[in-house]
Amino acid sequence: MFRRTFWFTAGAAAGVWATTKVNRKLRQLTPESLAAQAANKAIDAGHRLKDFALDVRAGMVQREAELGEALGLEASRDPELPRQRRMAAIDPAEPSDNKHSYNRHSYNSNNRNEDH
């Protein structure tokens, strides 16, 4: 009698364990769960990529400093950009004596056929 009770209890426990395992696996395979897993993996990959980029950037700065030291270059940290140049036709610095330059009239003419 105890033998049958033991095997009946062992079978029931094995059945509950197997049912629980199958239900967990089915929940993992639902579309929502798969989407969440994919999103988590994408976020983790993004963090790893960011860490890699920061490591590469730090290595670049270190190597640039080594090369600058080896070549004796002293570069300023914030190099000033050159001023933006304007076209001579828009903002002429000096009036041109060129006979082919654009002739500006002192009066405001509304006649569109003045060049014809």
Side-chain angles (χ1 to χ4, degrees):
M1 180 84 168
F2 288 110
R3 195 177 194 176
R4 288 184 186 169
T5 306
F6 170 77
W7 286 113
F8 176 78
T9 306
V16 168
W17 177 79
T19 304
T20 305
K21 279 287 236 191
V22 167
N23 285 335
R24 281 187 195 157
K25 190 52 96 173
L26 287 175
R27 269 188 260 125
Q28 285 180 352
L29 296 176
T30 61
E32 295 84 13
S33 178
L34 291 175
Q37 288 175 8
N40 288 338
K41 288 183 182 184
I43 289 171
D44 290 342
H47 289 305
R48 285 192 302 267
L49 185 62
K50 180 182 173 186
D51 291 341
F52 173 73
L54 290 174
D55 288 344
V56 167
R57 188 163 185 83
M60 258 181 10
V61 169
Q62 180 183 359
R63 182 64 178 151
E64 187 175 326
E66 290 172 0
L67 289 174
E69 185 179 308
L71 296 174
L73 300 175
E74 282 295 320
S76 63
R77 281 288 177 197
D78 296 324
E80 193 173 314
L81 295 175
R83 285 185 351 150
Q84 190 175 23
R85 297 182 196 155
R86 293 181 58 99
M87 294 182 348
I90 295 173
D91 188 22
E94 296 177 9
S96 174
D97 290 335
N98 188 357
K99 64 180 179 180
H100 298 292
S101 66
Y102 177 71
N103 186 10
R104 292 186 183 182
H105 298 290
S106 60
Y107 60 91
N108 188 5
S109 173
N110 292 329
N111 185 359
R112 298 289 178 192
N113 294 323
E114 63 188 11
D115 292 337
H116 300 290

